[in-house]
Amino acid sequence: AKHIEQHVDEEKPEGVENEAVEQVAFADRLLLNKIDLVSEADLFRIESRLKGINAFAPIMRTEKAQVSVDSVLNIKAFDLKKTLDMDPEL
């Protein structure tokens, strides 16, 4: 949570994709870690920005990367059609 905005806002040379934006855009789940290092207002703003990039991925708030393994593994969330609909050039 503390550094995501600087990565999303990072300017890349022409022809180079912003990896942070692409990872958010194609994610099945978003883990927003280190939430203890930012304010609730910051979290609201960050989550709004992430939802603007990917409205479909649920956002899970975490501290010290504490997350249930069941919530991120073997969830069968990958959908090639959805991915190609988002970016047909893949």
Side-chain angles (χ1 to χ4, degrees), residues 2 8 13 23-24 28-29 31 35 40 51 58 61-62 65 69 74-76 78 80-81 86 88:
K2 184 148 177 83
V8 168
Q23 287 182 3
V24 170
D28 297 316
R29 302 276 185 277
L31 301 178
I35 62 169
E40 187 64 32
K51 287 177 185 175
R61 292 182 175 190
T62 68
V69 174
N74 201 26
I75 57 174
K76 298 178 177 37
F78 180 75
L80 181 59
K81 183 183 178 330
M86 290 171 58

Side-chain angles (χ1 to χ4, degrees), residues 69-88:
V69 174
D70 293 337
S71 64
V72 293
L73 295 180
N74 201 26
I75 57 174
K76 298 178 177 37
F78 180 75
D79 181 346
L80 181 59
K81 183 183 178 330
K82 181 180 121 186
T83 301
L84 291 174
D85 287 346
M86 290 171 58
D87 190 347

